[in-house]
């Protein structure tokens, strides 16, 4: 048994690292993978632990959770995400392992040995366009396609409801979660990986045909960013993409349409500070006021996060990101680079459209994130 388990984990580490190597599939902690194995006669889900990136995850980065407990939780009519997390921790056979991914129950529900989940740019770009539902339905006729719901227990419960009564898994090529990402699965790790690559290639080919973006050469304007005193670390992006993005007409409306995949909101907030001809101090004050108004509209008993922007789009100059550390500023720069490309391509498909403001708030103020503050 032990040897079966360790070879399962080796296989799982290998193809997780492969998926992680492509930042068009997963970025900085995004996505998750799992494998089901037998340990001492009991079925165990080894699922990505939080705090690990797929690109560098090792065997010890996978949390071993009892399948029976996960499947029991899936059937509960109600469960808070905090209780789900403690339930998952209680069901681990090694308490020194990291916390299991919040998608562990969903992984358990899919009756295949190997499960891959990514936030592939190409898939979410199409999904986040005005006609995303019909494009996705046409591209993935053999997939289960699920309208957006909050990740965590609510999503697991939705999948449980859809699939509990004789769902035809054998004919199901994968799962698309609108505005969020994609799952593929198989009993063989290589086959699941290949399904992911094939599915994402379908989306990429579609975008290459209908949504190519020409980046014209733009000389950046001069701008004194020293007035943007927000965090200790900043990074300036003046790539052709950032210059193109920041030079669009009707800039504010174009760049404030929300995140590419929900978990990005934790890093980037829903929208940037937009600077056109405004005075920096006034613009910053307006940003904070609008953030507080957004918080007041949707908050119940949450603790408000820092109301300052995580990045700024400056007309004709480029994108500036802010971080408490250089690493944070770098990560936000990467996330926004992928977002910019997706927004421009989705506009070629008729218009970029992300999750609603209330869904954004729910994600930004997820009880699991709030728990870290309390
Ligand atoms: Zn996800």
């Amino acid at each position: 048994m032990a040897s079966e388990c360790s070879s399962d984990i080796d296989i799982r580490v290998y193809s997780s690292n492969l998926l992680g190597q492509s930042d068009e599939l997963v970025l900085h902690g995004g996505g998750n993978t799992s494998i089901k194995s037998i340990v001492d006669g009991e079925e165990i889900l080894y699922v990505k632990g939080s705090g690990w990136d797929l690109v560098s995850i090792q065997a010890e980065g996978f949390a071993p959770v009892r399948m029976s407990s996960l499947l029991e939780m899936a059937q509960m009519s109600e469960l808070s995400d905090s209780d789900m997390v403690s339930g998952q921790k209680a069901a681990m056979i090694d308490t020194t392992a990291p916390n299991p991914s919040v998608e562990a129950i969903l992984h358990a529900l899919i009756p295949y040995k190997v499960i891959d989940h990514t936030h592939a740019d190409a898939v979410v770009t199409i999904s986040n366009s005005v006609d995303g539902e019909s494009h996705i339905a046409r591209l993935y006729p053999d997939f289960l396609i699920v309208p957006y719901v909050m990740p965590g227990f609510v999503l697991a419960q939705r999948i449980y409801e859809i699939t509990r009564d004789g769902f035809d898994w054998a004919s199901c090529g994968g799962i698309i979660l609108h505005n969020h990402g994609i799952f593929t699965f198989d009993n063989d790790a290589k086959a699941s990986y290949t399904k992911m690559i094939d599915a994402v290639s379908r989306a990429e080919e579609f975008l290459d045909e209908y949504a190519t973006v020409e980046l014209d050469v733009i000389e950046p304007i001069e701008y004194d960013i020293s007035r943007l005193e927000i965090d200790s670390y900043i990074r300036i992006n003046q790539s052709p993409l950032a210059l193109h993005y920041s030079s669009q007409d009707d800039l504010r409306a174009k760049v404030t349409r929300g995140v590419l995949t929900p978990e990005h909101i934790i890093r980037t907030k829903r929208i940037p500070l937009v600077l056109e001809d405004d005075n920096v101090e006034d613009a910053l004050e307006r940003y904070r006021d609008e953030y507080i108004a957004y918080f007041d509209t949707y908050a119940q008993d949450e603790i408000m996060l820092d109301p300052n922007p995580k990045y700024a789009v400056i007309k004709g100059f480029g994108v500036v990101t802010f971080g408490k550390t250089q690493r944070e500023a770098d990560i936000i720069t990467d996330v926004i680079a992928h977002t910019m490309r997706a927004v421009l391509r989705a506009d070629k498909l008729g218009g970029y459209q992300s999750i609603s403001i209330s869904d954004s708030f729910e994600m930004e103020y997820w009880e699991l994130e709030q728990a870290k503050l309390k």
Side-chain angles (χ1 to χ4, degrees):
M1 292 299 179
S3 68
E4 183 191 340
C5 166
S6 63
S7 65
D8 279 345
I9 293 287
D10 289 347
I11 290 163
R12 183 63 283 182
V13 167
Y14 179 76
S15 72
S16 301
N17 293 162
L18 268 186
L19 288 169
Q21 277 168 23
S22 166
D23 63 6
E24 296 187 345
L25 292 178
V26 289
L27 265 182
H28 301 297
N32 42 62
T33 58
S34 69
I35 193 161
K36 299 178 182 80
S37 192
I38 303 287
V39 181
D40 297 332
E42 190 175 15
E43 197 177 11
I44 301 298
L45 178 82
Y46 283 84
V47 64
K48 193 193 95 153
S50 60
W52 287 82
D53 284 1
L54 289 182
V55 66
S56 52
I57 195 166
Q58 298 299 313
E60 63 267 30
F62 286 91
V65 196
R66 290 190 177 87
M67 280 287 290
S68 55
S69 307
L70 292 170
L71 295 175
E72 250 168 57
M73 281 196 274
Q75 297 176 36
M76 292 180 172
S77 55
E78 233 178 276
L79 184 66
S80 73
D81 284 320
S82 317
D83 289 343
M84 177 187 77
V85 167
S86 21
Q88 289 179 354
K89 275 167 85 170
M92 296 202 315
I93 56 167
D94 172 3
T95 51
T96 64
N99 282 350
S101 157
V102 291
E103 309 302 2
I105 297 176
L106 206 172
H107 283 249
L109 285 169
I110 301 173
Y112 284 92
K113 187 173 177 75
V114 177
I115 319 282
D116 292 320
H117 168 50
T118 74
H119 300 152
D121 283 356
V123 174
V124 284
T125 298
I126 296 169
S127 177
N128 284 350
S129 67
V130 285
D131 296 320
E133 281 177 30
S134 62
H135 293 315
I136 291 286
R138 234 177 315 113
L139 281 168
Y140 300 102
D142 53 333
F143 274 51
L144 170 62
I145 296 168
V146 184
Y148 178 79
V149 283
M150 176 85 178
F153 182 69
V154 175
L155 173 58
Q157 194 182 38
R158 183 65 48 88
I159 300 293
Y160 172 70
E161 284 163 2
I162 294 170
T163 61
R164 67 178 164 185
D165 295 319
F167 181 74
D168 183 10
W169 282 105
S171 312
C172 181
I175 301 174
I176 303 277
L177 307 174
H178 264 301
N179 315 105
H180 174 165
I182 172 170
F183 279 80
T184 56
F185 33 81
D186 201 281
N187 288 325
D188 175 73
K190 190 175 173 199
S192 181
Y193 174 82
T194 306
K195 285 178 186 174
M196 178 63 73
I197 301 302
D198 288 349
V200 173
S201 302
R202 277 189 236 174
E204 278 166 356
E205 282 159 21
F206 177 84
L207 288 173
D208 285 345
E209 191 169 343
Y210 300 107
T212 50
V213 176
E214 304 288 337
L215 300 178
D216 13 77
V217 180
I218 298 171
E219 276 300 314
I221 61 156
E222 299 276 324
Y223 195 89
D224 178 14
I225 57 154
S226 67
R227 291 141 70 213
L228 277 172
E229 282 174 9
I230 291 170
D231 272 324
S232 319
Y233 294 87
I234 59 165
R235 212 176 113 179
I236 301 168
N237 184 352
Q238 294 187 310
S239 65
L241 174 63
L243 285 168
H244 181 100
Y245 192 72
S246 64
S247 301
Q248 300 176 89
D249 293 334
D250 203 7
L251 187 65
R252 182 176 304 276
K254 293 266 177 59
V255 304
T256 56
R257 286 176 288 170
V259 291
L260 185 54
T261 184
E263 65 167 34
H264 286 174
I265 205 164
I266 313 289
R267 300 191 185 277
T268 65
K269 284 200 153 65
R270 196 179 74 84
I271 57 173
L273 171 68
V274 183
L275 293 166
E276 295 181 273
D277 297 323
D278 341 48
N279 168 292
V280 175
E281 288 74 22
D282 293 348
L284 253 178
E285 196 178 309
R286 195 169 61 234
Y287 184 94
R288 292 190 201 104
D289 288 347
E290 286 171 3
Y291 187 82
I292 293 165
Y294 154 78
F295 178 81
D296 289 343
T297 304
Y298 297 102
Q300 285 162 346
D301 55 358
E302 289 85 355
I303 299 170
M304 195 176 78
L305 302 167
D306 176 9
N308 283 301
K310 301 307 292 178
Y311 71 107
V313 178
I314 305 173
K315 180 98 181 180
F317 175 83
V319 173
V320 179
T321 55
F322 315 110
K324 304 255 179 286
T325 60
Q326 189 61 53
R327 180 164 162 74
E328 187 191 4
D330 291 348
I331 289 175
I332 296 169
T333 299
D334 288 348
V335 168
I336 296 309
H338 286 258
T339 307
M340 292 191 287
R341 187 154 177 269
V343 168
L344 294 172
R345 299 188 92 179
D347 275 342
K348 296 276 178 185
L349 295 177
Y352 178 81
Q353 194 174 57
S354 175
I355 56 174
S356 70
I357 299 182
S358 66
D359 284 336
S360 301
F361 180 87
E362 214 184 330
M363 192 68 204
E364 187 176 355
Y365 283 86
W366 199 355
E367 59 178 271
L368 300 177
E369 295 295 325
Q370 285 277 302
K372 296 175 191 165
L373 302 174
K374 280 176 182 157

